Amino acid sequence: MLNTTDSQKLKVLAKQNPEIQILIEKLMKEYEFILSKMSHEIRNPLTLVYSSLQLMEAQHPQLTKIQHWSDTLEDVKYICGLLDELSSYNHGEHLNLSVFPFSVFLRHIALSFALSLEQTNIQFCSEIADNLPDLIGDQRKLQEVLLNLLQNAKDAITQNGLIRLKAFCNDHHVIVEITDDGCGLTSEQIPTIFSPFTSYKTNGTGLGLAICKRIIDSHRGTLTVSSKLGSGATFTVSLPL
């Protein structure tokens, strides 16, 4: 799978020659089709296997006493989730665009996330400017991005902590900053944090941030991170108006 650096090199190369650009676009479409077909063909039967295992457990509870049964079930579930994320990554550039009030959209996300923290010791605050204009974008995918970033912020905090969502306009862009005071990232981790299959979380697939990056890129925006180890992190989404 191409990483962020490879994709940038291909874009630079494509701009240098129209014929090369056509060839690269053709190869990328074929690559995405093959990747999508492979994940689809594997995911469907594997989902049936997982459902069958769950049904077997429900009908025969004694199976849970078999050594490695629970581990096997979790492994199959993990692979199903990985294939789902692989499909999401592959379709990250396909947008269903609409015009929507961005401030209302953000307040809904902030409320949903705040409710998810009720049983934790994590504090959450949001600062959403009142003058945010309507935005053209894919609401579902942008919601996926922001909730993923907020969940990552939650995961970065071990016990007590604070997560802040801030949104404002800057020139011809709307900026959303998500900040946590969790474990932070090292200077070595930051350059690869958006690369596919790169994860610094336990049991992470390494596709969550890669999906976020691809979705924001498809909106012609940017997704960046600033962080220091032990001092939390700030993920910044910038979207053109």
Side-chain angles (χ1 to χ4, degrees), residues 111-171:
L111 178 60
S112 297
F113 182 69
L115 292 174
S116 73
L117 298 176
E118 284 191 342
Q119 303 301 318
T120 72
N121 294 321
I122 299 174
Q123 296 181 337
F124 174 68
C125 67
S126 60
E127 301 175 18
I128 301 171
D130 294 327
N131 63 340
L132 295 182
D134 290 354
L135 194 75
I136 299 176
D138 188 317
Q139 287 193 68
R140 186 184 65 80
K141 289 188 175 179
L142 289 176
Q143 179 175 338
E144 178 184 353
V145 169
L146 296 176
L147 287 177
N148 194 312
L149 295 177
L150 287 168
Q151 182 61 45
N152 283 350
K154 178 182 176 181
D155 293 341
I157 298 173
T158 53
Q159 294 180 350
N160 302 327
L162 172 67
I163 298 172
R164 185 187 303 274
L165 184 152
K166 184 177 181 180
F168 56 94
C169 283
N170 182 4
D171 296 328

Side-chain angles (χ1 to χ4, degrees), residues 32-43 83 86:
E32 290 179 2
F33 173 77
I34 293 172
L35 187 63
S36 178
K37 187 171 179 60
M38 286 178 61
S39 61
H40 176 78
E41 294 297 330
I42 297 172
R43 181 178 53 178
L83 290 169
L86 186 61

Side-chain angles (χ1 to χ4, degrees), residues 195-210:
S195 298
F197 298 112
T198 299
S199 178
Y200 301 105
K201 296 196 303 182
T202 303
N203 298 324
T205 62
L207 282 172
L209 286 176

